[in-house]
């Protein structure tokens, strides 16, 4: 039961990720991305990483994706505003896609997994272990990412600020 559920959720993850790419409407793409993140949360639960599942559910699905959805709705993208892509952009996309496929094939060949749900350490994704690693081994990258997010937030506020000229 566990393996079939894992592969079913993996198939759904890949399917909805492809739907994000191939959907014509940007709002539908964001909705497919929300479903993709939900399948990731199910994967985290299957791998005994309950904290990551809850954080993925609350932060990504509840906050960031809803923010993306509101921004897309506020942009009011019409069919007339969309431009056709040039052949150079399409060629770069094909090259990037082929590089991704080659990387995925190499990764699958390098893995020798008999059962994807059996972990070497069963308490790998628990909050206690995540906190120990995050605040000891990865403290500097954690703090740098917080500064990066702060500067992005300040930049977004400055870009969204309207200049009212006093006449």
């Amino acid at each position: 039961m566990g393996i079939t559920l894992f592969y079913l959720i993996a198939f759904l993850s890949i399917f909805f990720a492809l739907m994000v790419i191939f959907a014509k409407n940007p709002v539908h793409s964001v909705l497919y991305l929300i479903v993709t993140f939900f399948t990731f949360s199910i994967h985290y639960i299957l791998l005994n990483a309950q904290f990551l599942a809850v954080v993925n559910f609350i932060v990504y699905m509840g906050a960031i994706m809803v923010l993306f959805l509101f921004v897309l709705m506020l942009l009011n993208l019409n069919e007339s505003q969309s431009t056709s892509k040039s052949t150079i952009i399409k060629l770069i996309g094909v090259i990037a896609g082929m590089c991704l496929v080659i990387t995925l094939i190499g990764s699958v060949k390098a893995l020798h997994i008999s059962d994807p749900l059996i972990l070497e350490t069963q308490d790998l994704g628990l909050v206690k272990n995540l906190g120990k690693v995050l605040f000891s081994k990865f403290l500097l990258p954690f703090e740098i990412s917080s500064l990066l997010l702060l500067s992005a937030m300040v930049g977004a506020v400055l870009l969204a600020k309207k200049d009212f000229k006093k006449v």
Side-chain angles (χ1 to χ4, degrees), residues 21 90-105:
I21 296 169
K90 289 179 183 177
L91 181 66
I92 291 172
V94 168
I95 292 171
M98 294 308 290
C99 290
L100 178 65
V101 167
I102 291 169
T103 305
L104 287 174
I105 290 171

Side-chain angles (χ1 to χ4, degrees), residues 19-115:
M19 291 300 292
V20 168
I21 296 169
F22 294 122
K24 298 286 184 191
N25 191 344
V27 174
H28 292 162
S29 290
V30 170
L31 293 174
Y32 287 132
L33 192 58
I34 291 171
V35 175
T36 304
F37 282 150
F38 180 72
T39 59
F40 291 167
S41 294
I42 295 172
H43 275 294
Y44 288 142
I45 290 171
L46 288 175
L47 294 172
N48 199 23
Q50 294 88 7
F51 176 72
L52 291 177
V54 170
V55 166
N56 185 38
F57 189 81
I58 292 172
V59 173
Y60 285 106
M61 291 175 51
I64 294 175
M65 286 297 106
V66 172
L67 178 69
F68 282 0
L69 190 62
F70 285 151
V71 167
L72 284 175
M73 288 179 176
L74 286 174
L75 285 178
N76 195 13
L77 296 175
N78 295 329
E79 299 262 341
S80 62
Q81 293 175 343
S82 64
T83 59
S84 62
K85 294 181 177 69
S86 67
T87 56
I88 295 174
I89 298 294
K90 289 179 183 177
L91 181 66
I92 291 172
V94 168
I95 292 171
M98 294 308 290
C99 290
L100 178 65
V101 167
I102 291 169
T103 305
L104 287 174
I105 290 171
S107 299
V108 168
K109 284 185 177 181
L111 291 176
H112 301 290
I113 298 176
S114 60
D115 189 359

